[in-house]
Amino acid sequence: MREITHFIDGVSVAGTSGRYGDVFNPNTGEVQARVTLATAAELDAAVGSAVRAQQTWALVNPQRRARVMFEFKRLVEARMDELAELLSSEHGKVIADSKGDIQRGLEVIEFACGIPHALKGEYTEGAGPGIDVYSMRQPLGVAAGITPFNFPAMIPMWMFGIAIAVGNTFILKPSEKDPSVPVRLAELMMEAGAPKGVLNVVHGDKVAVDAILDHPDIKAVSFVGSSDIAHYVYSRGTANAKRVQAMGGAKNHGIILPDADLEQATKDIIGAAYGSAGERCMALPVVVPVGKTTADEVRERVLSELETLKVGVSTDAAAQYGPVVSGAHKQRVSDYIQMGVEEGAELVVDGRGFALQGYEKGFFIGPTLFDNVKPSMRTYQEEIFGPVLQIVRAETFEEALRLPSEHQYGNGVAIFTRNGRAAREFASRVNVGMVGINVPIPVPVAYHTFGGWKRSAFGDVNQHGMEGVRFYTKVKTITARWPEGAVEDSAFVIPTMR
């Protein structure tokens, strides 16, 4: 049995807890490896390594830190095929999706390559008589990231790329479901020239998470996962005086106005709802057609697309999505489908009976479609996180606008229309953090910022872009005067800028 170990102080470290998690091959349903789960003492050892490394790493000038990022980017690109295959073998997403996972992470690394510019402070000459005022951004120290299973390459790179580039060191606690790629990324970061201890990977469950949230030497924590756990991480971390950004769940809506290009909108929704088996926080699992005519046509177009949608193993180049990550998650999604039936939604296509010949024990779920879903239903209110699309019919623009605005989650939303005025009004008024206009998955580019509203995010600062730079640094402001001649008597007043 292959064992996946921690990566601490630049080397592989076997666990001592005697506790392990199973890592499955989702295509076959078989256990392919086991990952060691950390003790609080092992987490402490990783933090000790990070503290020692940070004292010298912070003194490296930004341009040299950027060169490490450039080399890391080159190494990851050179190993794209290897990393994508490894990612798919543990997660289950098809190879093309795995490459997209890695590429979207690399885009933040590209942003981090420009860190000398992003770290520049502000300067005011002559703010008062002979007084200059300037500011600088300095690293926090040791930061940590707790990342989910659905993007085992992208989200870690979103976090550690900027954190390390600004001069921090980093502790990564990836999902125990697909932990191999995060370890490989840490190895490549060392190969790129980062000193040992700059990036450590510690595997674990709640024991490791709590150790991160309680450790006095960890100054900032970034988290992505479910909303309940995000709230827990935010509450416990901030109670321990840490800076915390905790991204939670989502229920993203796709609003389709009658004037939309329905052919394009339907194809976009199919990809956004079923791609990566729906295991994306920016998936689009709810479609809201406005008006009966639009709804009926969208339903027929979706059904037509589903007839040609191919589900296959991760390595099948023709497959549009693969299995879900685990047997437990497959059961969870199946339970939500049954719940939808019991709540009275119309189950148009049921994917629970799907089986792939030769891979009958794999964690596959066929594409599932519900119509006439009501906002009062629990299956609408909660995140299913699987290949399930729900149609919620709206009579008017205002009703369609209210649905995502009043939902407990506010991660992303999309509107499909040819009407610029309607799109502008929708984008301005909708109570959601990220909006797509004829864009089904509105994940911002790396030099902008990612973050939802309401129960989709806890904390005041978003992921990556300049928001990421602000999250992983603290501002120091200096007011300086260089008096000439004799030293004057001490002044016991606040200096003013007259």
Side-chain angles (χ1 to χ4, degrees):
M1 179 66 66
R2 180 169 63 94
E3 185 170 320
I4 302 165
T5 59
H6 309 303
F7 187 80
I8 299 174
D9 206 38
V11 297
S12 174
V13 176
T16 61
S17 70
R19 298 186 305 116
Y20 299 91
D22 289 334
V23 178
F24 291 89
N25 179 337
N27 297 288
T28 65
E30 298 172 342
V31 176
Q32 61 168 307
R34 66 177 190 173
V35 57
T36 185
L37 303 178
T39 63
E42 288 167 330
L43 186 280
D44 184 64
V47 175
S49 170
V51 169
R52 292 189 298 272
Q54 202 272 332
Q55 293 170 4
T56 54
W57 180 243
L59 300 178
V60 175
N61 69 57
Q63 188 172 353
R64 291 186 181 275
R65 294 200 299 263
R67 288 173 186 167
V68 172
M69 292 295 152
F70 274 111
E71 179 62 8
F72 175 74
K73 174 179 176 291
R74 187 191 71 79
L75 290 171
V76 172
E77 288 174 336
R79 291 159 176 79
M80 177 68 77
D81 290 343
E82 166 203 330
L83 290 168
E85 289 171 8
L86 181 59
L87 195 159
S88 289
S89 73
E90 293 183 353
H91 177 279
K93 65 176 72 176
V94 297
I95 296 292
D97 272 343
S98 290
K99 288 183 176 181
D101 184 334
I102 297 164
Q103 182 58 42
R104 289 309 298 260
L106 279 178
E107 289 170 9
V108 174
I109 300 299
E110 287 178 336
F111 173 80
C113 290
I115 208 65
H117 178 76
L119 275 179
K120 289 192 301 185
E122 299 172 323
Y123 194 102
T124 298
E125 181 184 14
I131 296 176
D132 301 329
V133 179
Y134 59 97
S135 65
M136 60 181 71
R137 289 197 167 272
Q138 296 184 325
L140 302 175
V142 179
I146 303 167
T147 58
F149 74 84
N150 59 325
F151 284 98
M154 180 185 79
I155 295 177
M157 284 192 274
W158 278 11
M159 296 177 184
F160 71 64
I162 295 176
I164 291 172
V166 301
N168 299 294
T169 51
F170 202 82
I171 309 294
L172 174 62
K173 205 299 287 182
S175 170
E176 62 274 24
K177 293 182 175 67
D178 46 8
S180 291
V181 166
V183 173
R184 191 74 187 100
L185 293 175
E187 293 170 345
L188 292 175
M189 184 63 76
M190 299 302 102
E191 189 177 337
K196 64 181 183 179
V198 165
L199 177 57
N200 301 278
V201 181
V202 177
H203 307 292
D205 50 12
K206 189 175 184 296
V207 173
V209 170
D210 287 348
I212 288 171
L213 297 176
D214 295 341
H215 202 292
D217 288 331
I218 293 177
K219 304 303 181 184
V221 177
S222 183
F223 171 87
V224 176
S226 71
S227 288
D228 288 343
I229 305 301
H231 184 256
Y232 172 81
V233 167
Y234 181 77
S235 299
R236 187 159 178 163
T238 54
N240 286 319
K242 300 185 191 307
R243 188 176 292 186
V244 181
Q245 55 180 192
M247 306 299 166
K251 195 76 172 186
N252 305 324
H253 294 56
I255 313 301
I256 302 182
L257 299 190
D259 70 328
D261 180 338
L262 295 186
E263 181 178 1
Q264 185 63 55
T266 302
K267 290 182 181 297
D268 286 346
I269 285 167
I270 291 293
Y274 298 109
S276 199
E279 294 173 318
R280 296 170 174 158
C281 66
M282 287 298 285
L284 207 157
V286 178
V287 59
V288 184
V290 176
K292 184 178 186 305
T293 301
T294 306
D296 290 344
E297 185 170 350
V298 167
R299 170 175 165 152
E300 291 308 310
R301 286 179 177 273
V302 169
L303 282 172
S304 178
E305 291 288 335
L306 292 186
E307 290 177 359
T308 62
L309 189 64
K310 182 176 181 181
V311 182
V313 295
S314 303
T315 53
D316 183 352
Q320 288 155 298
Y321 76 84
V324 296
V325 72
S326 68
H329 192 64
K330 176 181 178 179
Q331 186 60 53
R332 178 182 183 271
V333 175
S334 297
D335 290 345
Y336 267 114
I337 295 172
Q338 182 59 34
M339 184 190 300
V341 173
E342 294 170 359
E343 288 180 320
E346 180 188 355
L347 182 58
V348 184
V349 179
D350 186 352
R352 288 175 293 180
F354 181 88
L356 196 62
Q357 186 175 1
Y359 297 89
E360 287 81 5
K361 293 184 179 180
F363 307 137
F364 294 94
I365 301 177
T368 298
L369 176 66
F370 279 103
D371 195 0
N372 293 300
V373 175
K374 305 302 180 186
S376 60
M377 294 177 178
R378 185 178 161 192
T379 48
Y380 167 77
Q381 296 166 359
E382 299 179 4
E383 184 177 36
I384 297 174
F385 219 60
V388 180
L389 177 61
Q390 297 172 294
I391 299 176
V392 181
R393 295 173 177 238
E395 291 300 321
T396 65
F397 173 85
E398 289 295 331
E399 182 183 354
L401 174 65
R402 282 197 305 271
L403 285 166
S405 295
E406 295 176 356
H407 201 280
Q408 65 167 328
Y409 297 124
N411 217 35
V413 67
I415 184 169
F416 299 89
T417 180
R418 291 186 174 96
N419 187 323
R421 183 178 180 277
R424 184 176 185 274
E425 180 179 354
F426 181 87
S428 175
R429 292 174 57 193
V430 71
N431 185 26
V432 173
M434 292 173 282
V435 181
I437 298 173
N438 298 311
V439 174
I441 303 179
V443 178
V445 292
Y447 43 90
H448 283 264
T449 185
F450 179 101
W453 290 0
K454 298 176 285 189
R455 293 195 74 242
S456 290
F458 299 87
D460 300 322
V461 184
N462 287 349
Q463 299 263 1
H464 65 68
M466 285 306 298
E467 287 278 275
V469 174
R470 283 187 278 272
F471 180 76
Y472 288 112
T473 58
K474 53 192 174 186
V475 176
K476 182 179 289 182
T477 305
I478 297 94
T479 302
R481 180 179 65 175
W482 300 97
E484 297 180 0
V487 177
E488 300 175 2
D489 293 337
S490 298
F492 294 92
V493 296
I494 297 175
T496 58
M497 301 304 172
R498 297 180 187 179

